[in-house]
Amino acid sequence: MDAKLLEILVCPICKGPLHYAKARQELICRGDRLAFPVRDGIPVMLEGEARELAPEEEVGA
């Protein structure tokens, strides 16, 4: 994931910051507890494509 792209991307729902989970290839919104997939290096920032994080799932540091 390009660092400059990550700096400008925000959650499409709450407009909060996103955190890149490299191992899962996801962008995580801590506030909404959503994970947006990154497919072939392209973030899919659609609410319908996001998955909800389970209550026990880590949201990153």
Side-chain angles (χ1 to χ4, degrees), residues 29-53:
C29 175
R30 292 178 183 160
D32 291 324
R33 295 196 53 82
L34 292 174
F36 297 91
V38 178
R39 296 186 186 129
D40 298 321
I42 301 169
V44 181
M45 305 304 296
L46 300 171
E47 184 177 358
E49 293 288 322
R51 71 175 181 89
E52 289 188 38
L53 298 175

Side-chain angles (χ1 to χ4, degrees), residues 1-9 18-22 25-28 36-45:
M1 173 66 53
D2 181 51
K4 288 187 180 195
L5 179 60
L6 189 55
E7 286 179 17
I8 61 171
L9 284 176
L18 297 168
H19 304 277
Y20 183 51
K22 186 175 182 177
Q25 293 291 297
E26 293 177 325
L27 290 170
I28 307 292
F36 297 91
V38 178
R39 296 186 186 129
D40 298 321
I42 301 169
V44 181
M45 305 304 296

